[in-house]
Amino acid sequence: MARDIDVILTEMLETIALIETALAGKTREDFGQDDILRLAVQRAIEIISEASRHLPDTLLRQAPDIPWRSIRGMGNILRHEYHRVADDVIWNVAAGDLPALRTALLALRASVGSTR
């Protein structure tokens, strides 16, 4: 059974908000020194990655500037290559890439809501 797209988008947005809250006021150095924070952010990114796999390609084409393939692939890296994940990569995703993803997800959720 297919999952409800609005629920998936909301879950992704809520997970981004959790990451933003966890990193509020933190520096890259703070992030690197807090093992639990690093693991929590990695897990949250893994959740976002997995959720993105349940969004139809037709919807994702509405946000062509978002690297959906990379987002979907990030979960595999975090699950299977966790020992090779660089803190800088996770920090850059969390601090640099998630704001654009949040904006795109909000737009996608608005477009899904308008079709109901």
Side-chain angles (χ1 to χ4, degrees):
M1 175 187 229
R3 293 183 59 203
D4 182 283
I5 292 171
D6 189 55
V7 170
I8 296 167
L9 294 170
T10 299
E11 288 172 349
M12 292 174 75
L13 287 163
E14 288 173 350
T15 304
I16 290 170
L18 288 171
I19 293 169
E20 291 172 338
T21 298
L23 294 181
K26 303 276 196 255
T27 64
R28 166 60 184 88
E29 185 175 288
D30 296 332
F31 178 74
Q33 294 175 355
D34 188 333
D35 292 339
I36 298 300
L37 178 61
R38 285 193 346 265
L39 290 173
V41 171
Q42 287 178 20
R43 175 64 177 142
I45 291 171
E46 185 180 339
I47 289 168
I48 292 166
S49 171
E50 182 61 28
S52 74
R53 293 171 169 271
H54 296 278
L55 296 173
D57 290 338
T58 54
L59 183 65
L60 301 183
R61 282 194 285 274
Q62 293 180 32
D65 293 340
I66 300 299
W68 296 110
R69 185 177 176 146
S70 295
I71 291 169
R72 288 174 166 185
M74 178 64 96
N76 287 332
I77 292 168
L78 291 170
R79 278 187 292 282
H80 304 292
E81 298 292 328
Y82 56 88
H83 57 284
R84 295 178 35 188
V85 175
D87 290 345
D88 285 337
V89 171
I90 298 300
W91 177 262
N92 290 337
V93 167
D97 298 335
L98 290 183
L101 179 58
R102 179 183 1 88
T103 299
L105 293 171
L106 289 168
L108 293 175
R109 190 168 68 173
S111 75
V112 168
S114 66
T115 61
R116 290 184 180 197

Tab-separated table of all heavy atoms in Angstrom, residues 75-97:
chain	number	residue	atom	x	y	z
A	75	GLY	N	21.025	7.717	2.301
A	75	GLY	CA	20.613	6.726	3.300
A	75	GLY	C	21.413	5.448	3.191
A	75	GLY	O	21.802	4.856	4.208
A	76	ASN	N	21.663	5.004	1.964
A	76	ASN	CA	22.470	3.793	1.771
A	76	ASN	C	23.885	3.983	2.303
A	76	ASN	O	24.456	3.085	2.917
A	76	ASN	CB	22.522	3.406	0.296
A	76	ASN	CG	21.225	2.822	-0.189
A	76	ASN	OD1	20.477	2.229	0.583
A	76	ASN	ND2	20.933	3.002	-1.456
A	77	ILE	N	24.429	5.152	2.071
A	77	ILE	CA	25.777	5.438	2.575
A	77	ILE	C	25.772	5.410	4.098
A	77	ILE	O	26.644	4.803	4.723
A	77	ILE	CB	26.276	6.794	2.046
A	77	ILE	CG1	26.504	6.700	0.536
A	77	ILE	CG2	27.554	7.225	2.769
A	77	ILE	CD1	26.713	8.018	-0.152
A	78	LEU	N	24.772	6.054	4.699
A	78	LEU	CA	24.721	6.093	6.166
A	78	LEU	C	24.472	4.709	6.771
A	78	LEU	O	24.962	4.421	7.862
A	78	LEU	CB	23.647	7.083	6.622
A	78	LEU	CG	23.979	8.549	6.348
A	78	LEU	CD1	22.777	9.429	6.602
A	78	LEU	CD2	25.173	8.992	7.166
A	79	ARG	N	23.727	3.877	6.069
A	79	ARG	CA	23.452	2.526	6.583
A	79	ARG	C	24.633	1.575	6.384
A	79	ARG	O	24.930	0.773	7.264
A	79	ARG	CB	22.214	1.931	5.895
A	79	ARG	CG	20.912	2.385	6.485
A	79	ARG	CD	19.734	1.644	5.882
A	79	ARG	NE	19.495	1.957	4.481
A	79	ARG	CZ	18.896	3.068	4.047
A	79	ARG	NH1	18.480	3.969	4.894
A	79	ARG	NH2	18.699	3.269	2.764
A	80	HIS	N	25.273	1.660	5.230
A	80	HIS	CA	26.255	0.643	4.871
A	80	HIS	C	27.705	1.110	4.893
A	80	HIS	O	28.603	0.287	4.986
A	80	HIS	CB	25.926	0.073	3.485
A	80	HIS	CG	24.542	-0.472	3.395
A	80	HIS	ND1	24.143	-1.596	4.084
A	80	HIS	CD2	23.448	-0.023	2.738
A	80	HIS	CE1	22.854	-1.828	3.835
A	80	HIS	NE2	22.415	-0.886	3.011
A	81	GLU	N	27.923	2.402	4.798
A	81	GLU	CA	29.281	2.939	4.778
A	81	GLU	C	29.483	3.911	5.936
A	81	GLU	O	30.297	4.832	5.852
A	81	GLU	CB	29.536	3.660	3.442
A	81	GLU	CG	29.431	2.760	2.227
A	81	GLU	CD	30.540	1.722	2.151
A	81	GLU	OE1	31.671	1.996	2.601
A	81	GLU	OE2	30.263	0.613	1.642
A	82	TYR	N	28.745	3.711	7.028
A	82	TYR	CA	28.756	4.618	8.169
A	82	TYR	C	30.159	4.873	8.702
A	82	TYR	O	30.458	5.956	9.173
A	82	TYR	CB	27.866	4.088	9.296
A	82	TYR	CG	28.253	2.698	9.742
A	82	TYR	CD1	29.211	2.510	10.724
A	82	TYR	CD2	27.673	1.579	9.150
A	82	TYR	CE1	29.586	1.233	11.115
A	82	TYR	CE2	28.045	0.312	9.535
A	82	TYR	CZ	28.994	0.137	10.510
A	82	TYR	OH	29.366	-1.116	10.881
A	83	HIS	N	31.020	3.902	8.596
A	83	HIS	CA	32.385	4.033	9.095
A	83	HIS	C	33.225	4.983	8.249
A	83	HIS	O	34.285	5.415	8.677
A	83	HIS	CB	33.060	2.654	9.163
A	83	HIS	CG	33.074	1.947	7.852
A	83	HIS	ND1	31.952	1.333	7.325
A	83	HIS	CD2	34.066	1.775	6.950
A	83	HIS	CE1	32.265	0.807	6.154
A	83	HIS	NE2	33.533	1.054	5.906
A	84	ARG	N	32.724	5.325	7.060
A	84	ARG	CA	33.460	6.216	6.161
A	84	ARG	C	32.816	7.590	6.047
A	84	ARG	O	33.306	8.417	5.284
A	84	ARG	CB	33.537	5.583	4.774
A	84	ARG	CG	34.351	4.310	4.782
A	84	ARG	CD	34.416	3.643	3.453
A	84	ARG	NE	34.452	4.585	2.354
A	84	ARG	CZ	34.365	4.254	1.085
A	84	ARG	NH1	34.228	3.006	0.755
A	84	ARG	NH2	34.391	5.163	0.140
A	85	VAL	N	31.739	7.838	6.781
A	85	VAL	CA	31.032	9.112	6.672
A	85	VAL	C	31.841	10.196	7.368
A	85	VAL	O	32.181	10.082	8.548
A	85	VAL	CB	29.623	9.015	7.292
A	85	VAL	CG1	28.942	10.365	7.292
A	85	VAL	CG2	28.781	7.995	6.533
A	86	ALA	N	32.147	11.226	6.629
A	86	ALA	CA	32.918	12.337	7.178
A	86	ALA	C	31.982	13.331	7.862
A	86	ALA	O	30.911	13.650	7.345
A	86	ALA	CB	33.688	13.033	6.058
A	87	ASP	N	32.409	13.791	9.023
A	87	ASP	CA	31.613	14.778	9.753
A	87	ASP	C	31.343	16.020	8.910
A	87	ASP	O	30.267	16.604	8.990
A	87	ASP	CB	32.318	15.185	11.046
A	87	ASP	CG	32.342	14.076	12.080
A	87	ASP	OD1	31.588	13.090	11.926
A	87	ASP	OD2	33.118	14.195	13.043
A	88	ASP	N	32.318	16.416	8.098
A	88	ASP	CA	32.126	17.609	7.264
A	88	ASP	C	30.979	17.425	6.281
A	88	ASP	O	30.240	18.364	6.011
A	88	ASP	CB	33.407	17.953	6.490
A	88	ASP	CG	34.465	18.590	7.370
A	88	ASP	OD1	34.112	19.167	8.420
A	88	ASP	OD2	35.654	18.507	7.006
A	89	VAL	N	30.835	16.220	5.753
A	89	VAL	CA	29.745	15.949	4.806
A	89	VAL	C	28.399	16.091	5.513
A	89	VAL	O	27.493	16.771	5.013
A	89	VAL	CB	29.888	14.541	4.180
A	89	VAL	CG1	28.649	14.172	3.373
A	89	VAL	CG2	31.142	14.468	3.319
A	90	ILE	N	28.278	15.497	6.676
A	90	ILE	CA	27.018	15.572	7.423
A	90	ILE	C	26.736	17.011	7.826
A	90	ILE	O	25.608	17.499	7.684
A	90	ILE	CB	27.064	14.640	8.656
A	90	ILE	CG1	27.223	13.186	8.219
A	90	ILE	CG2	25.821	14.830	9.523
A	90	ILE	CD1	26.114	12.671	7.330
A	91	TRP	N	27.734	17.713	8.313
A	91	TRP	CA	27.553	19.112	8.704
A	91	TRP	C	27.110	19.948	7.503
A	91	TRP	O	26.191	20.752	7.594
A	91	TRP	CB	28.843	19.670	9.306
A	91	TRP	CG	28.734	21.120	9.646
A	91	TRP	CD1	29.172	22.189	8.895
A	91	TRP	CD2	28.106	21.687	10.804
A	91	TRP	NE1	28.870	23.361	9.523
A	91	TRP	CE2	28.210	23.088	10.701
A	91	TRP	CE3	27.468	21.148	11.900
A	91	TRP	CZ2	27.709	23.956	11.663
A	91	TRP	CZ3	26.972	21.999	12.871
A	91	TRP	CH2	27.083	23.384	12.745
A	92	ASN	N	27.756	19.748	6.363
A	92	ASN	CA	27.407	20.524	5.173
A	92	ASN	C	25.995	20.229	4.693
A	92	ASN	O	25.283	21.134	4.251
A	92	ASN	CB	28.420	20.286	4.053
A	92	ASN	CG	29.768	20.901	4.361
A	92	ASN	OD1	29.880	21.838	5.156
A	92	ASN	ND2	30.813	20.371	3.765
A	93	VAL	N	25.586	18.973	4.776
A	93	VAL	CA	24.207	18.625	4.414
A	93	VAL	C	23.247	19.323	5.367
A	93	VAL	O	22.297	19.982	4.954
A	93	VAL	CB	23.991	17.096	4.434
A	93	VAL	CG1	22.515	16.744	4.383
A	93	VAL	CG2	24.729	16.444	3.271
A	94	ALA	N	23.501	19.172	6.666
A	94	ALA	CA	22.584	19.719	7.670
A	94	ALA	C	22.540	21.239	7.639
A	94	ALA	O	21.457	21.837	7.671
A	94	ALA	CB	22.987	19.227	9.059
A	95	ALA	N	23.693	21.862	7.568
A	95	ALA	CA	23.742	23.325	7.639
A	95	ALA	C	23.543	23.990	6.282
A	95	ALA	O	22.995	25.094	6.214
A	95	ALA	CB	25.088	23.759	8.232
A	96	GLY	N	23.951	23.318	5.216
A	96	GLY	CA	23.923	23.963	3.911
A	96	GLY	C	22.816	23.524	2.976
A	96	GLY	O	22.247	24.339	2.249
A	97	ASP	N	22.483	22.228	2.995
A	97	ASP	CA	21.547	21.699	2.011
A	97	ASP	C	20.100	21.607	2.498
A	97	ASP	O	19.170	21.696	1.698
A	97	ASP	CB	21.990	20.302	1.557
A	97	ASP	CG	23.351	20.316	0.881
A	97	ASP	OD1	23.733	21.373	0.337
A	97	ASP	OD2	24.033	19.279	0.902
